[in-house]
């Protein structure tokens, strides 16, 4: 399963380079992002209508897996195409949701083959092994074992008086072993095949004393981005519902989203793509970018990602949200002259916590990105970010037709 998913990711990277580097550089069209994203929206819309398939959010996948104890996709080729299209056309969406769906379906398929082989379920605990495999895949996707452990523990099955085969403590140990095993495996696999995974690691925080008061504008900026994110989700989810689920509405929604995203990307190119590779570029180039451009990129991506998720460009919002926080943090550093690592650490953590509303999961994902001396500020930012109130207009009940990881239930 891991090898197959790795090949899918390689195919995604190849398609992205083909469209945006090979084709884009040869054509040299000034409005290439606008044209490509609009065309991509049309392709996505037509495929969604014809295939009747979409990428489910990470929380949907885990929730569906927990209820019946299994998760299936419509064959093997159809979900792969559905996963690849938004990424290849530059969607501001994360790949974690699609990967989790593919891996979960693969793990359930393997488990079902074991059961059909007549092996003892009670003795091998294949259900728990499949469950732990999900925790392992979350760990591998984010390249941090704690993300898999927290995801598994938070969603661990409730005690069942009739089931004494594997207690919760044992499951936690199994999740931990699976998560660290996946983390080590992905490091070895990427070293052998020369591919990268996860987010880059940032430098240490150099600020101290009174300069630490710069965390206040970081929290304020993160809160503003959180409000923008949830307001955008509510607005575009409502717009998508008005367009309907017929042929016209199914195609029109991603086309409109692609056109808007492409128009913004013409001036702010970093609003495109998940943000994993772009974060590494930003770390090298931020000092040469005007503060207003960095801040505009962070805020624009904070609004465009939920627009994509609500208008047919389905995926996850972890990686784009992390990049949004990074860009805004660097923008604040360029504007104020404060320590960039402090600004990025606090802004990113507070914003991601504001999006997910889960401080523990936020810390588990980001803890290996930022240095140890920023852990206290990460904890404070995560708690504040998750506790920041959201006005009624930004509640997520209006996004039921296009759910994402940002809801209050799930992972």
């Amino acid at each position: 399963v891991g090898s197959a998913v790795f090949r899918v990711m390689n195919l995604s990277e190849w398609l992205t380079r083909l469209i945006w580097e090979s084709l884009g550089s040869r054509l040299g069209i000034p409005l290439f992002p606008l044209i490509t994203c609009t065309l991509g929206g049309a392709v996505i819309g037509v495929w969604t209508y014809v295939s009747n398939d979409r990428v489910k959010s990470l929380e949907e996948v885990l929730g569906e897996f927990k209820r019946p104890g299994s998760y299936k996709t419509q064959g093997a080729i159809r979900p792969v195409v559905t996963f690849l299209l938004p990424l290849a056309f530059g969607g501001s969406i994360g790949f974690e949701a699609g990967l989790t769906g593919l891996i979960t379906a693969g793990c359930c398929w393997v488990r079902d083959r074991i059961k059909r082989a007549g092996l003892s379920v009670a003795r091998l605990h294949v259900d728990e092994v499949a469950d732990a495999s999900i925790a392992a895949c979350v760990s591998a996707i984010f390249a941090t074992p704690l993300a898999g452990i927290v995801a598994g523990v938070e969603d661990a099955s409730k005690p069942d008086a009739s089931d004494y085969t594997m207690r919760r403590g044992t499951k936690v140990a199994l999740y931990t072993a699976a998560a660290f095993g996946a983390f080590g495996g992905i490091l070895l696999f990427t070293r052998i095949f020369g591919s990268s995974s996860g987010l880059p690691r940032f430098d240490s925080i150099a600020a101290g004393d009174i300069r630490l008061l710069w965390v206040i504008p970081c929290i304020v900026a993160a809160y503003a981005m959180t409000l923008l994110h949830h307001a955008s989700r509510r607005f575009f989810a409502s717009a998508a519902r008005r367009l309907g689920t017929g042929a016209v509405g199914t195609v029109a929604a991603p086309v409109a989203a692609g056109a808007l995203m492409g128009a913004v990307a013409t001036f702010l190119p970093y609003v495109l793509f998940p943000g994993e590779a772009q974060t590494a570029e930003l770390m090298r180039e931020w000092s040469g970018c005007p503060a207003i451009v960095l801040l505009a990129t962070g805020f624009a991506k904070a609004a465009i990602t939920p627009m994509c998720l609500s208008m047919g460009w389905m995926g996850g919002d972890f990686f784009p949200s992390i990049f949004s926080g990074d860009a805004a943090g660097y923008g604040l550093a360029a504007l104020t002259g404060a320590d960039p690592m402090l600004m990025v650490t606090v802004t990113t953590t507070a914003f991601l916590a504001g999006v997910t509303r889960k401080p523990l999961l936020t810390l588990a994902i980001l803890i290996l990105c930022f240095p140890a001396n920023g852990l206290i500020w990460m904890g404070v930012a995560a708690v504040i970010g998750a506790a920041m109130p959201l006005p009624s207009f930004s509640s997520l009940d209006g996004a039921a037709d296009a759910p994402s990881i940002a809801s209050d239930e799930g992972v």
Side-chain angles (χ1 to χ4, degrees):
V1 172
S3 177
V5 171
F6 187 84
R7 297 305 175 190
V8 172
M9 282 301 300
N10 282 345
L11 180 58
S12 172
E13 294 174 2
W14 180 81
L15 287 173
T16 302
R17 289 195 300 269
L18 176 66
I19 294 174
W20 293 95
E21 294 181 9
S22 300
L23 184 60
S25 60
R26 289 182 180 180
L27 295 179
I29 302 176
L31 298 178
F32 185 76
L34 174 60
I35 297 172
T36 303
C37 291
T38 305
L39 177 62
V43 173
I44 292 170
V46 171
W47 172 256
T48 301
Y49 183 75
V50 172
S51 67
N52 193 30
D53 189 32
R54 66 177 178 86
V55 174
K56 295 183 179 180
S57 70
L58 194 152
E59 68 170 4
E60 282 186 285
V61 173
L62 295 181
E64 186 173 327
F65 172 77
K66 291 293 182 180
R67 285 191 295 271
S70 185
Y71 181 80
K72 295 181 179 180
T73 57
Q74 302 183 52
I77 302 300
R78 188 180 301 184
V80 170
V81 175
T82 304
F83 167 74
L84 290 174
L85 287 178
L87 294 172
F89 283 103
S92 181
I93 53 142
F95 51 78
E96 68 275 3
L99 283 186
T100 303
L102 295 175
I103 295 173
T104 303
C107 291
C108 290
W109 183 88
V110 172
R111 180 200 59 188
D112 293 342
R113 301 288 83 74
I114 295 176
K115 288 183 176 181
R116 290 180 183 178
L119 299 179
S120 173
V121 176
R123 178 164 50 87
L124 291 180
H125 306 298
V126 293
D127 289 323
E128 284 80 5
V129 171
D131 203 5
S133 298
I134 311 308
C137 86
V138 174
S139 175
I141 289 171
F142 293 103
T144 169
L146 292 180
I149 297 171
V150 171
V153 171
E154 285 191 347
D155 271 356
S157 301
K158 295 181 179 179
D160 184 353
S162 64
D163 180 14
Y164 297 95
T165 58
M166 187 171 287
R167 297 181 181 275
R168 182 181 176 91
T170 307
K171 290 183 179 182
V172 172
L174 180 61
Y175 296 148
T176 303
F180 275 97
F183 180 62
I186 199 68
L187 290 179
L188 177 62
F189 207 69
T190 53
R191 181 177 290 265
I192 293 175
F193 292 98
S195 179
S196 62
S197 177
L199 293 164
R201 292 359 177 191
F202 291 85
D203 295 329
S204 298
I205 295 175
D209 303 325
I210 193 66
R211 288 175 294 178
L212 292 174
L213 291 177
W214 284 117
V215 300
I216 296 176
C218 293
I219 296 294
V220 172
Y223 186 34
M225 293 169 64
T226 299
L227 294 176
L228 180 61
H229 177 97
H230 291 301
S232 174
R233 179 186 302 279
R234 180 62 182 264
F235 175 81
F236 286 106
S238 177
R241 285 198 307 276
R242 289 191 178 93
L243 289 173
T245 57
V248 174
T250 302
V251 176
V255 169
L260 182 56
M261 178 173 60
V264 175
T266 302
F267 304 97
L268 301 171
Y270 274 131
V271 300
L272 297 175
F273 309 113
E276 179 199 14
Q278 290 70 35
T279 298
E281 297 177 10
L282 190 65
M283 292 172 64
R284 297 190 300 266
E285 302 173 359
W286 75 270
S287 59
C289 296
I292 188 63
V293 172
L294 293 169
L295 288 169
T297 298
F299 276 80
K301 197 172 183 71
I304 287 177
T305 295
M307 177 197 71
C308 288
L309 299 178
S310 299
M311 300 281 282
W313 292 65
M314 295 301 295
D317 56 7
F318 269 118
F319 283 105
S321 297
I322 293 171
F323 181 86
S324 296
D326 293 343
Y330 279 127
L332 289 173
L335 184 65
T336 64
D339 177 40
M341 289 302 96
L342 174 66
M343 310 300 273
V344 170
T345 299
V346 175
T347 306
T348 302
T349 306
F351 176 57
L352 184 60
V355 170
T356 65
R357 318 304 290 174
K358 295 183 178 295
L360 184 58
L361 183 61
T362 297
L363 286 176
I365 292 173
L366 297 179
I367 195 168
L368 291 186
C369 294
F370 298 113
N373 68 340
L375 183 59
I376 295 177
W377 296 110
M378 288 177 61
V380 172
V383 171
I384 295 177
M388 290 186 294
L390 299 177
S392 58
F393 71 83
S394 56
S395 63
L396 302 184
D397 56 353
D401 294 333
S404 175
I405 192 64
S407 78
D408 294 332
E409 299 179 357
V411 179

